[in-house]
Amino acid sequence: MFAVVKIAGQQFKVSEGQSLYVPHIEGNAGDQVEFSDVLYVDTDGKISVGADAKVKVKAEIVAERKGKTVIAFKMKRRKGFRKKKGHRTLYTHIKVTGIA
């Protein structure tokens, strides 16, 4: 059994017991979260799509991490103009505990 879930504007294919990194979700390690925006469900060959997929995906927050550094570098040639700015995006490590 697997489902396609929309989390923070991105779609993820999840199955029970799977762990994955998603964009930052508010909460602490050990908290339970529930995703109700399910787009697709496949239960042993029986497919439900869109509004017919009336299931919820439950997950547990494992940890929070920062991603790799993304650098935005701007430069104008022959003018001496250089600007360097970077950031690290926050991600949340979750483990799917159930699809019901």
Side-chain angles (χ1 to χ4, degrees):
M1 177 176 191
F2 71 90
V4 176
V5 183
K6 193 171 186 180
I7 303 171
Q10 297 180 4
Q11 296 178 10
F12 295 92
K13 179 180 173 184
V14 298
S15 58
E16 196 168 332
Q18 180 183 4
S19 65
L20 63 148
Y21 288 94
V22 297
H24 182 66
I25 299 172
E26 292 294 327
N28 298 322
D31 289 352
Q32 298 289 327
V33 290
E34 191 172 274
F35 304 108
S36 59
D37 197 4
V38 178
L39 307 173
Y40 180 93
V41 177
D42 184 354
T43 310
D44 300 326
K46 184 180 177 192
I47 297 171
S48 300
V49 180
D52 295 335
K54 297 184 190 301
V55 298
K56 293 185 180 183
V57 175
K58 296 179 182 177
E60 178 185 353
I61 296 176
V62 178
E64 292 185 1
R65 301 248 167 119
K66 286 186 178 181
K68 291 186 177 180
T69 304
V70 178
I71 297 173
F73 182 74
K74 298 179 182 181
M75 177 180 141
K76 293 187 179 177
R77 63 184 186 158
R78 297 187 303 267
K79 307 295 184 201
F81 175 80
R82 293 173 180 226
K83 187 185 283 189
K84 182 177 178 182
K85 190 164 182 106
H87 67 89
R88 294 178 71 186
T89 306
L90 292 173
Y91 290 100
T92 304
H93 185 199
I94 62 171
K95 182 172 183 177
V96 178
T97 57
I99 301 174

